[in-house]
Amino acid sequence: MCVRRCVITVGDLGEFGVVNRIAGRLPQGEGVMLGPGDDAAMVAAPDGRVVVSTDLLVERRHFRLDWSGGRDVGRKAAAQNLADIAAMGAVPTSIVVGLGIPAELPVAWLDALTDGFREECAVVGASVVGGDITRSDLVVIGVTALGDLRGRAPVTRSGARPGHVVAVAGRLGYAAAGLALLAAGVAAGSGVLAEAVTAHRRPCPPYEEGPRAAALGASAMLDVSDGLVQDIGHVAAASGVRVELDPGSFAVGEPVAAAAEELGQDPLEWVLTGGEDHALAAVFPPDVRLPPSWQVVGRVVEGEGVLVHGRQVGQGGWDHFR
Amino acid sequence: MCVRRCVITVGDLGEFGVVNRIAGRLPQGEGVMLGPGDDAAMVAAPDGRVVVSTDLLVERRHFRLDWSGGRDVGRKAAAQNLADIAAMGAVPTSIVVGLGIPAELPVAWLDALTDGFREECAVVGASVVGGDITRSDLVVIGVTALGDLRGRAPVTRSGARPGHVVAVAGRLGYAAAGLALLAAGVAAGSGVLAEAVTAHRRPCPPYEEGPRAAALGASAMLDVSDGLVQDIGHVAAASGVRVELDPGSFAVGEPVAAAAEELGQDPLEWVLTGGEDHALAAVFPPDVRLPPSWQVVGRVVEGEGVLVHGRQVGQGGWDHFR
């Protein structure tokens, strides 16, 4: 009979109970040649190359357990890695997850986290093929994603040339607006403000636009994780060019505009410097005919740095140590 | 002039300063098609498959900053992942590292950590091809290793059959003896006790024996990370067999014997249940002629579980949550 404590925790199950429980919630897709349960997994790399990216998320820094549920955290952790793979022009095939969790963590939260990983991977047809679990006072999540370029060259940050155009696919400023609403304690309820909060909890990267941009001939690409101005600055630096952004060209999303009005902020600030939406920013030669999912927001010229409204701007994004 | 604080910290450099500093210390090997500095790296996977394994290490749980230097931690974090790749019969090609560190961490420690990663990777001809860095109160390290099977089938845990022999390559009990010495506050100085302490700080996995065992026809293999009895129990379970270990067959290393005498412990306990040496344990069909680097320590019979001295033993290894 359960009197004092009815919540089953990770400590109740033990390490191997937890591992088996997680593995049981993870179906394996067709590119997976060996899934969880051994020293390593094995994944197909059909064109003889593999693209790999890793990210580490730490509780209270990348997510708060009172602002996000386990499923949100799983989706977000997977999404930010899968977006890195897409930003190379590749199709994600799999992720592995290193998980540090407290013994007191409810198993239900871990189930939700696992479901979040599985669901976000399913969006792109990828599988969670393996992982590692250990004890930690705060929740720590290391995700590594693998991807397949399908014979194409990777789209790096260094191919932008003067005369090329800069375009963006996906949302900008949504996650930053949602975070600002949460930080201000605004009860977003449902409706347009809630959409911004949801965007903070679960980014919606436009994965399929990565390989599409590569096929269209993109000369440079990255995912916007620290803010567009800062991230496109990496393209400018790696390519040895200047990027001029035209703030007038940005479509400010309705949730971003509504949150800005609610909080008395400038929505464009979030659009230009807000991270975590994992939009894709790419550079294309001028003769490429872009589909409507790509919005032209600037151009590449000779020089260096990033210009907004004709003014050189600082990084204006996120530095984890400053 | 430096009066109050002469140590340069991670916070002084900032995120991008740190990233550039780390990348500058990491030469890239020939299988690396795109190294650090983009959304993802790209590595050759010559036979159209890639083996992948991940581990998460947390300060105070997997290492202590007063017991291990940055270089030790880097070597150990890399080693335990590279050993997982070897245990599949594969050759490691690369690692990516997710790093959580405090802003107050001295840059010199981070340099040493990076050197440790590079050095351990160099042992097997692998490269550190990418990573992620974020702020964290404790040092947290997520390592993911990739490997190449060179056209061979992976050696899993499930191929052991009655009549096969169980053999071990590498050290057993060294790291556990070293940890016990550190925990007891024994000043190991130099000599044979120091060798055990060094083994705790920097495991020495017999990497090359993994592909070698695969080529010899090993039917099952894993790396000993939680203790031989517990880990070989995973082989027994996955293969649906019983493993009988013969404790008389184990050569107890001199540092293990000396530490046991110093602390009044049973050295065989460390040999059978001590983890973190990352020895390789493999199962071979009886007709395989084993080289001297592989020591036969038991046999596979019908049944289940692990028998030592004819007695069924519990897991007797490490559970992170118990």
Side-chain angles (χ1 to χ4, degrees):
Chain A
M1 210 176 70
C2 170
V3 182
R4 293 189 51 197
R5 195 174 61 102
C6 290
V7 176
I8 301 172
T9 67
V10 165
D12 294 332
L13 286 190
E15 181 175 355
F16 299 100
V18 165
V19 167
N20 289 335
R21 188 175 179 104
I22 292 176
R25 298 176 91 86
L26 297 172
Q28 299 297 309
E30 57 181 281
V32 182
M33 306 169 86
L34 187 66
D38 222 295
D39 290 70
M42 185 166 69
V43 180
D47 74 0
R49 305 169 301 169
V50 63
V51 172
V52 56
S53 181
T54 200
D55 271 317
L56 189 70
L57 288 85
V58 178
E59 182 188 338
R60 295 188 200 165
R61 191 151 293 276
H62 298 92
F63 57 89
R64 282 175 51 159
L65 298 187
D66 54 339
W67 284 359
S68 296
R71 210 157 141 198
D72 298 325
V73 175
R75 292 201 71 147
K76 180 172 172 163
Q80 71 177 64
N81 266 274
L82 298 171
D84 280 325
I85 299 299
M88 302 303 289
V91 178
T93 56
S94 56
I95 68 170
V96 291
V97 179
L99 198 54
I101 47 176
E104 305 75 39
L105 190 77
V107 167
W109 195 92
L110 192 65
D111 287 347
L113 181 80
T114 308
D115 291 348
F117 280 126
R118 185 189 63 232
E119 288 167 9
E120 194 67 26
C121 282
V123 172
V124 293
S127 308
V128 185
V129 298
D132 178 45
I133 193 156
T134 193
R135 193 166 169 171
S136 166
D137 291 336
L138 294 179
V139 176
V140 180
I141 304 171
V143 179
T144 303
L146 304 185
D148 172 25
L149 280 161
R150 302 195 171 169
R152 278 190 304 268
V155 184
T156 67
R157 300 176 174 187
S158 58
R161 298 288 172 263
H164 290 192
V165 301
V166 179
V168 171
R171 299 164 161 185
L172 289 173
Y174 281 57
L179 181 62
L181 289 168
L182 285 167
V186 174
S190 59
V192 73
L193 290 182
E195 210 180 311
V197 172
T198 301
H200 161 73
R201 292 187 178 127
R202 300 185 186 184
C204 256
Y207 300 116
E208 70 289 352
E209 299 297 337
R212 191 181 193 187
L216 285 167
S219 55
M221 184 157 51
L222 43 59
D223 90 304
V224 180
S225 50
D226 296 323
L228 178 64
V229 171
Q230 176 169 311
D231 287 326
I232 205 73
H234 297 316
V235 168
S239 300
V241 297
R242 165 175 290 175
V243 169
E244 292 183 353
L245 294 177
D246 172 17
S249 65
F250 288 92
V252 175
E254 206 191 334
V256 178
E261 198 178 321
E262 175 74 26
L263 300 174
Q265 301 250 347
D266 178 4
L268 207 55
E269 182 76 21
W270 289 330
V271 169
L272 290 174
T273 67
E276 301 203 299
D277 282 307
H278 303 286
L280 295 175
V283 177
F284 296 91
D287 55 336
V288 173
R289 200 187 156 107
L290 291 176
S293 46
W294 286 89
Q295 184 188 1
V296 174
V297 296
R299 61 198 192 105
V300 179
V301 298
E302 303 217 358
E304 56 177 8
V306 179
L307 256 65
V308 179
H309 274 312
R311 264 188 322 118
Q312 183 97 24
V313 290
Q315 295 205 316
W318 186 255
D319 183 318
H320 279 286
F321 297 100
R322 292 226 158 115
Chain B
M1 209 176 70
C2 170
V3 181
R4 292 190 51 200
R5 196 173 62 104
C6 290
V7 176
I8 302 171
T9 68
V10 165
D12 294 331
L13 286 190
E15 182 175 353
F16 298 100
V18 165
V19 166
N20 289 335
R21 189 175 179 104
I22 292 177
R25 297 176 90 89
L26 297 172
Q28 299 298 308
E30 57 182 282
V32 183
M33 305 168 88
L34 187 64
D38 223 296
D39 290 71
M42 184 167 68
V43 180
D47 74 3
R49 305 169 302 169
V50 64
V51 172
V52 56
S53 182
T54 199
D55 272 316
L56 189 70
L57 289 84
V58 179
E59 183 188 338
R60 296 188 199 163
R61 191 152 293 275
H62 297 91
F63 57 88
R64 283 176 49 161
L65 298 187
D66 53 340
W67 286 358
S68 297
R71 208 159 142 196
D72 298 325
V73 174
R75 293 202 69 147
K76 179 172 173 163
Q80 70 177 62
N81 266 275
L82 298 171
D84 280 325
I85 299 299
M88 302 304 288
V91 178
T93 55
S94 55
I95 67 171
V96 290
V97 179
L99 200 54
I101 47 177
E104 306 74 39
L105 191 77
V107 166
W109 194 92
L110 192 65
D111 286 347
L113 180 80
T114 307
D115 291 348
F117 280 125
R118 186 189 65 232
E119 287 168 10
E120 194 66 26
C121 282
V123 172
V124 293
S127 308
V128 185
V129 298
D132 178 44
I133 193 156
T134 192
R135 192 166 170 172
S136 166
D137 292 336
L138 293 179
V139 176
V140 180
I141 304 171
V143 180
T144 302
L146 304 184
D148 171 25
L149 281 161
R150 301 196 171 168
R152 278 190 303 269
V155 183
T156 67
R157 299 176 174 187
S158 59
R161 297 291 172 262
H164 290 191
V165 301
V166 179
V168 170
R171 297 163 162 185
L172 289 173
Y174 281 57
L179 182 61
L181 289 168
L182 285 166
V186 174
S190 60
V192 72
L193 290 182
E195 209 178 313
V197 172
T198 300
H200 161 73
R201 292 188 178 125
R202 300 185 187 184
C204 256
Y207 300 114
E208 71 288 353
E209 299 296 337
R212 192 183 192 187
L216 285 167
S219 55
M221 183 157 51
L222 44 57
D223 91 303
V224 181
S225 50
D226 295 324
L228 178 64
V229 170
Q230 177 169 310
D231 286 326
I232 205 74
H234 297 316
V235 168
S239 300
V241 297
R242 164 174 289 173
V243 169
E244 292 183 353
L245 294 177
D246 172 18
S249 66
F250 288 92
V252 175
E254 207 191 337
V256 179
E261 198 180 319
E262 175 76 26
L263 300 175
Q265 301 251 347
D266 178 3
L268 207 55
E269 183 76 21
W270 288 330
V271 168
L272 290 173
T273 67
E276 299 202 301
D277 282 307
H278 302 286
L280 294 176
V283 176
F284 296 92
D287 56 336
V288 173
R289 202 187 155 108
L290 292 175
S293 45
W294 287 89
Q295 183 188 0
V296 175
V297 297
R299 62 201 191 102
V300 179
V301 298
E302 301 215 1
E304 57 176 8
V306 180
L307 257 66
V308 180
H309 273 315
R311 265 187 322 120
Q312 183 97 21
V313 290
Q315 296 205 317
W318 185 256
D319 184 318
H320 279 287
F321 297 100
R322 293 221 159 119

